[in-house]
Amino acid sequence: MAKARIGVLISGRGSNMAALVYAAKRADCPFEIVLVAANDPEAGGLALAEAEGIATWAQSHKGMKRAEFDALVDAQLRAARVDYVALAGY
């Protein structure tokens, strides 16, 4: 059975995301992290995700309307074919 594809949304250090990333390394884990997205391009968790070979995307939400920013995030999640979204400190 294929593993569930997870997109993780972060806004900072990524400590919650890190727990998910390390859990996904277990052979019996039913999911894989396929995208880490942040509303802050300087979010520290992005570096960890990149170091682990996980695709990342970041865009500042400042100055944008909520619906406009949410549409950008949604497009990235759909492009990565995400099954579920984890809000890890987002």
Side-chain angles (χ1 to χ4, degrees):
M1 180 173 208
K3 292 187 174 200
R5 298 172 59 82
I6 306 294
V8 182
L9 304 186
I10 66 170
S11 60
R13 294 180 303 144
S15 55
N16 292 329
M17 176 220 44
L20 293 170
V21 168
Y22 298 133
K25 290 179 179 259
R26 293 182 35 193
D28 63 342
C29 183
F31 65 85
E32 63 180 321
I33 309 295
V34 297
L35 177 69
V36 172
N39 62 350
D40 177 2
E42 301 299 318
L46 293 169
L48 173 62
E50 290 170 358
E52 293 292 334
I54 301 169
T56 62
W57 175 84
Q59 168 74 45
S60 175
H61 65 284
K62 294 180 180 174
M64 297 181 77
K65 292 184 178 181
R66 179 67 181 254
E68 180 184 9
F69 183 75
D70 288 350
L72 292 175
V73 173
D74 181 64
Q76 293 298 315
L77 294 169
R78 288 178 187 273
R81 299 184 342 269
V82 166
D83 297 314
Y84 300 97
V85 177
L87 305 179
Y90 184 81

